[in-house]
Amino acid sequence: MSHPDLSFLLRDAQPASGPSQAPAEPSERRGPGRASGAIAELIAELRASQAELEAQNKVLRYSQAAAESASERFEALFSNVPLSLMVLDEHDVVVQANSMAQRSFQPSERDRPLTALMPFVSPRHAARVRATFAAALESGTAEANEVVFEIDEHRHITGDLHIARIEAHTDDETPLTQFLCAVIDQGPLLAERQALQRSAQELQERNAQLHASERRLEAVINSALDAIICVDQRERITVFNPTAAMLFQCATSDALGSPLSRFLPQAQQVMAFAQLTTQAALGEMTALTASGRELAVEISVSFERHAEGETTTVFARDLTGRKREEARRSALEAQLRESHKMQAVGTMAGGIAHDFNNILHAILGNVELAKADSTPGTPLHESLLEIDKAGRRARDLVRQILTFSRNEAPQRSAVALAEVAHDTERLLRVTLPPEIELGMHLPPDLPPLLADPTQVEQALLNLCTNAMHAIGSARGRIQVDAALVQPEQRLRESLGMAAGDYVALRVQDNGPGMDEATLSRIFEPFFTTKPVGQGTGLGLAVVHGVMRTHGGGVDVHSAPGQGSRFTLYFPVATQAAHAPPAAAAPRAVPKAPAPSAGDRQRHVMYVDDDAALVFLVQRLLRRRGYEVSGFTDPHEATDALRAAPGRYDLLVTDYNMPGYSGLDLVRAARAIRPDLPVALASGYVTAEIEQAALAEGARALIHKPNDVEELCATVDRLAHER
C-alpha cells in the first residue's frame, strides 16, 4: 500500500504574519538559500520523511508482490499436492478443499458433497476425531491415526488425519480460527502393512514350526535306539546322540569334533558312497569304542548336500546282542535237535528193548527149566550156566536201554549224596587199575538230593567208568567233588533246568579229552569210541536219561589233551522231602505153598502175544502144580473168561498187545468177575501205566524180563490170596 504524497504540506506551509505585514513572496520565487530558520528545518524534515515514506512504499510494494506470489504458490501447492487438503472453520464447514479431497470424498456427482468433514467420519472414530480437533485448537497441531471415512455403504477411506490451527482476519480485522486438515490415505500402506504383518506372522509361525521340528528331530535323535553320528565335509563329528555315547563308551562332549575314523576305522569306505548315492546300507562293519574295544555294528549312511557343504549321517546298530542271541538261538536249536534226536532214539530203543524183553524172558525161563532137568557138573549144565550168565548180561543191557528211553519221573526221595558216592567208590576200587588215582571230596554239609538213589549211583558209576576207560593204561587221576550252586540263567536255559538250588556233582579226569565232533555225539545210544566188543555205547546215554528224568542236567567241558569234566546238576530236596520215607518191609519171595490133601489145583490164565512166552510160562507154572491156560489172542481170552468165570483163580496179562491193551483186558475181566486177581506184565512200565493199572484193579505189576522165581512168587501170592 503506497503512502499518500505529502508535498502539499510544503506548499501549504507559510509563516504566520500579521495584518501590517506585506504578503510574502511566492516560495517558488525564492531560492533555497533564501529559506532560513524554523521553516528551513521543517522543510528538511519533511523531505526526509518523504524519502523514508517512498522507501517504505517500495518495501510495501515488494512485500505485496511477494505475498501475492506466495499466495499464488500456496494456491497452486494446495490445489496440486497429492493429499486430501481441506480448510475447516470452527463449525466443521469446509471452507476450501483441493481437488484431491474432492476426488477422494466425492468421487462421483451422486455422492455426498464435501461441505463438512464429520459426516464422513465413521461413528466408531467420531469421538476420537473431535478430541483431535480440540487438541489442535489448544496446542496448534494434532493428529489421529487410521481414521475411517465412510464414502458410502460400500466404500471407505482409512487414513491419518493431520490438523493444524490457522488464524485469519475478516475485513473488519476480527480474528477468525480455521483448521487446515490433511488426510493421508493409509489404504495402500495398511494393505502393505497387513501383508507385512501376515508375512511376519507366517515367518514367525514357520520359525516356531522349524524350532518345534528341530526339537522333535533332536528328541528323535536322542531317543533313537541306533547310534546316530553326523559329520561335516571334513569328516568331523557334529552330532553324537546318547545311544552313540553309550555304544562307543565316549561322552558326547569328547566325541564332538573328533574324526569319524576314531570310532569307525572304515570311514573312508563309508564316505566313498557320497558320490554315488544319497543313501546306502553298508551292512556289518567293525567299530571301535573309545577304549579301543572292537564292536560288530550294522552301518547305514545318508548324504545331504546344502549351501554350507555336505553332511553325512551315519546310523550304527549294535550287533553284539543280536549275535549273542543268534548264538544262543543256534545253541538252543542244536539242543532242541539233540533232544528230538535223543527222544527218537530213546523211543526206538524202548521199542526194541520191549521186543527183546520177550526174547530174553523166554531164554532165561527155558534155561531155568533146562538147569532143573540137567545134572549139575555135567557139560550140559555148565553150558546152561553160561547161557544163563549171557542172558543176564543181556537183561542188564536191556535195563540200561530202558533207563535211557524211559521218560517218566523216577521214584525220588531225599538222598544223601555222600552215602551214594561212598557206596560207588567201594565198587570202583575193585576194578580201578593201580595207575589211576581216584579222589573224592564231598562237603559234609551238602543238602540232600531229590533223586532216586539207584539211578544216582548208576550215573556216577557210569561217569567214573567212562573216565577210567578214557585214561586207559596211562597214569591218571579221576576227581569227584560236589558243591551247592545256583546255576546262572544262561546255563539253566541251555540245560532246560528250572531256577533253584542244585547240587553240582562233578567228575573230572586228565585223560586225552574229546574234540567237538565227539562231544556232539557222546550221549547218543550205542555211540562209542572203544574197539568192537569193549563197550556198548550206553553209559553216557544212561547218564543223560537219568538227569533228564530227575529234572536236572549234565554239562560237559572237554578239549583234546585237556581231559574231560562232567557236571551233574541234581535238584535239592525240599523240606517236605527231607523226612526219611517210611521203611518198606523187604518183599520176600514166598515159596510155593505145599499143597494139602484137600487143596484143589489153582487155575491161571496167561495172556501174551508172544507164543514162546506163553509156552514157557505154561511149563514153569505147571511144574509148580498150577493148571495154566495160555492165550496169544486177548479177545479169545476174554471170551473164555466170559464162558466160565469161576474156572480161573488168576489172570496174568501182557500190557502191549497188537490192537488190544492189557488194561482193556483187565477192565473186561473186572467187569466179568470183580473178585478175580489180575496181574499186569510189561517191560516198559511208566508211572502213568502203573497208576492206570492199579486204578482198574490190577493187584500187581510184573516187570519183564525177570527171574523165574520172581514171576512164580507173584503168581503164588496172588493165586492163594483169600
Side-chain angles (χ1 to χ4, degrees):
M1 181 178 179
S2 60
H3 291 278
D5 189 3
L6 299 180
S7 59
F8 69 92
L9 293 177
L10 297 176
R11 292 191 303 268
D12 294 337
Q14 294 180 357
S17 60
S20 60
Q21 293 178 345
E25 296 180 0
S27 59
E28 60 273 9
R29 294 179 182 176
R30 298 175 185 175
R34 296 177 64 184
S36 62
I39 298 298
E41 292 178 0
L42 179 60
I43 291 172
E45 184 178 350
L46 290 175
R47 286 178 178 174
S49 298
Q50 183 178 6
E52 182 180 355
L53 288 175
E54 288 178 354
Q56 290 179 357
N57 283 334
K58 289 181 181 180
V59 172
L60 288 175
R61 284 194 296 271
Y62 178 80
S63 298
Q64 184 177 5
E68 291 176 353
S69 176
S71 176
E72 291 176 357
R73 288 196 301 272
F74 173 78
E75 289 294 339
L77 181 62
F78 184 84
S79 299
N80 298 317
V81 71
L83 294 175
S84 297
L85 297 178
M86 292 167 284
V87 178
L88 278 69
D89 63 9
E90 294 178 315
H91 305 289
D92 192 40
V93 175
V94 177
V95 177
Q96 186 177 4
N98 67 352
S99 59
M100 186 69 179
Q102 294 292 344
R103 288 196 302 270
S104 299
F105 286 87
Q106 190 180 1
S108 64
E109 294 180 355
R110 295 187 299 273
D111 295 323
R112 178 173 45 194
L114 182 59
T115 57
L117 181 63
M118 290 305 298
F120 289 92
V121 178
S122 171
R124 294 181 290 112
H125 298 169
R128 185 158 60 94
V129 171
R130 292 191 185 95
T132 304
F133 273 103
L137 179 62
E138 181 179 354
S139 60
T141 59
E143 64 180 48
N145 297 322
E146 297 184 8
V147 178
V148 176
F149 300 94
E150 297 178 347
I151 308 304
D152 54 26
E153 295 180 356
H154 306 290
R155 291 175 296 175
H156 69 275
I157 297 173
T158 301
D160 294 341
L161 176 62
H162 296 265
I163 304 174
R165 186 191 65 197
I166 57 177
E167 297 293 339
H169 294 83
T170 60
D171 294 339
D172 57 358
E173 297 299 328
T174 303
L176 180 63
T177 301
Q178 293 181 337
F179 300 94
L180 176 62
C181 300
V183 177
I184 303 175
D185 188 2
Q186 297 291 338
L189 295 178
L190 286 177
E192 184 177 356
R193 186 186 306 167
Q194 291 173 357
L196 291 175
Q197 289 176 349
R198 286 194 299 270
S199 299
Q201 184 177 2
E202 292 175 358
L203 181 59
Q204 187 176 4
E205 291 176 355
R206 285 196 296 269
N207 289 336
Q209 292 175 358
L210 180 60
H211 292 321
S213 177
E214 290 177 351
R215 289 193 297 270
R216 286 195 299 269
L217 179 60
E218 182 179 2
V220 169
I221 292 176
N222 291 336
S223 61
L225 298 179
D226 292 340
I228 300 178
I229 305 174
C230 296
V231 297
D232 57 18
Q233 56 189 358
R234 295 183 296 119
E235 299 183 15
R236 297 288 177 176
I237 296 176
T238 59
V239 174
F240 202 75
N241 72 337
T243 305
M246 182 172 57
L247 176 62
F248 297 105
Q249 300 177 2
C250 180
T252 301
S253 58
D254 184 26
L256 295 178
S258 301
L260 180 60
S261 57
R262 176 184 177 185
F263 303 104
L264 200 62
Q266 299 172 320
Q268 293 299 329
Q269 181 180 349
V270 173
M271 303 303 293
F273 284 88
Q275 306 300 326
L276 304 176
T277 181
T278 58
Q279 292 181 346
L282 305 183
E284 183 177 346
M285 286 187 174
T286 300
L288 296 177
T289 64
S291 60
R293 183 171 60 88
E294 292 187 351
L295 292 174
V297 294
E298 184 179 17
I299 297 295
S300 59
V301 291
S302 175
F303 303 100
E304 297 179 4
R305 295 176 177 84
H306 43 78
E308 290 78 11
E310 296 182 355
T311 299
T312 302
T313 304
V314 179
F315 302 88
R317 179 170 299 177
D318 185 13
L319 297 181
T320 305
R322 182 189 300 180
K323 285 184 172 293
R324 187 185 304 115
E325 288 300 320
E326 289 177 353
R328 178 173 171 270
R329 186 183 300 112
S330 298
L332 291 177
E333 289 175 354
Q335 179 184 356
L336 181 61
R337 289 193 298 270
E338 183 70 17
S339 177
H340 288 170
K341 180 176 66 176
M342 300 296 286
Q343 184 177 4
V345 172
T347 303
M348 179 187 68
I352 294 174
H354 171 264
D355 293 338
F356 197 45
N357 267 333
N358 293 336
I359 301 174
L360 285 177
H361 198 175
I363 293 173
L364 292 175
N366 282 286
V367 166
E368 288 294 327
L369 292 175
K371 285 194 301 182
D373 294 337
S374 65
T375 303
T378 62
L380 175 61
H381 191 79
E382 292 179 359
S383 298
L384 292 175
L385 290 178
E386 291 298 322
I387 294 173
D388 182 71
K389 187 186 300 183
R392 291 179 184 276
R393 286 201 303 269
R395 181 189 64 184
D396 295 338
L397 179 60
V398 169
R399 285 178 178 174
Q400 286 191 352
I401 296 175
L402 290 176
T403 301
F404 165 74
S405 63
R406 192 172 293 137
N407 289 320
E408 75 275 7
Q411 297 297 324
R412 295 187 291 174
S413 60
V415 176
L417 179 59
E419 297 179 5
V420 176
H422 289 308
D423 291 342
T424 307
E425 183 181 8
R426 283 194 295 269
L427 295 175
L428 287 171
R429 294 292 181 186
V430 179
T431 59
L432 196 66
E435 294 84 5
I436 299 178
E437 179 185 357
L438 176 63
M440 282 199 176
H441 176 69
L442 302 176
D445 56 346
L446 278 179
L449 311 180
L450 183 60
D452 184 337
T454 303
Q455 293 192 9
V456 174
E457 181 179 351
Q458 184 179 14
L460 181 57
L461 184 63
N462 286 357
L463 286 180
C464 292
T465 303
N466 188 74
M468 182 176 62
H469 291 168
I471 296 174
S473 59
R475 184 173 298 276
R477 177 178 176 82
I478 301 174
Q479 180 65 36
V480 179
D481 53 24
L484 178 64
V485 298
Q486 287 185 341
E488 60 182 8
Q489 181 179 359
R490 183 176 181 182
L491 179 62
R492 294 199 313 269
E493 291 177 354
S494 64
L495 299 182
M497 300 187 302
D501 294 333
Y502 289 81
V503 172
L505 178 61
R506 185 175 63 179
V507 178
Q508 185 171 0
D509 64 73
N510 59 351
M514 295 175 285
D515 55 17
E516 290 292 336
T518 304
L519 277 174
S520 63
R521 301 188 60 190
I522 57 175
F523 294 122
E524 292 183 9
F526 313 113
F527 173 76
T528 179
T529 58
K530 302 181 182 69
V532 178
Q534 297 187 19
T536 62
L538 286 172
L540 294 181
V542 169
V543 173
H544 185 275
V546 168
M547 300 312 299
R548 183 179 59 190
T549 57
H550 278 75
V554 52
D555 187 29
V556 186
H557 290 278
S558 183
Q562 299 181 11
S564 302
R565 184 177 74 248
F566 289 80
T567 306
L568 308 181
Y569 292 94
F570 287 97
V572 172
T574 59
Q575 294 296 329
H578 287 178
R587 188 178 64 181
V589 179
K591 295 183 179 180
S596 60
D599 195 8
R600 68 177 180 85
Q601 188 180 28
R602 302 293 180 179
H603 192 177
V604 178
M605 175 184 287
Y606 187 81
V607 184
D608 198 303
D609 60 321
D610 193 327
L613 281 181
V614 173
F615 179 68
L616 170 65
V617 172
Q618 284 179 332
R619 294 178 61 197
L620 285 173
L621 296 181
R622 283 171 182 170
R623 286 195 178 191
R624 299 180 69 87
Y626 292 98
E627 180 184 357
V628 183
S629 297
F631 297 89
T632 58
D633 187 352
H635 298 284
E636 293 180 0
T638 304
D639 295 339
L641 182 60
R642 186 178 292 110
R647 181 184 175 188
Y648 302 97
D649 298 291
L650 175 64
L651 169 62
V652 180
T653 177
D654 188 27
Y655 175 75
N656 291 311
M657 292 180 289
Y660 203 81
S661 171
L663 291 178
D664 296 331
L665 184 56
V666 172
R667 194 178 299 111
R670 296 284 295 175
I672 296 172
R673 183 181 163 186
D675 62 336
L676 178 66
V678 180
L680 189 68
S682 177
Y684 186 65
V685 179
T686 64
E688 290 79 7
I689 293 176
E690 182 177 0
Q691 184 178 1
L694 296 177
E696 293 295 339
R699 301 284 184 87
L701 292 172
I702 301 174
H703 296 264
K704 299 189 299 183
N706 49 14
D707 293 333
V708 173
E709 290 296 328
E710 182 182 354
L711 171 64
C712 295
T714 303
V715 172
D716 290 341
R717 178 173 60 85
L718 295 178
H720 292 84
E721 283 183 349
R722 295 290 186 267

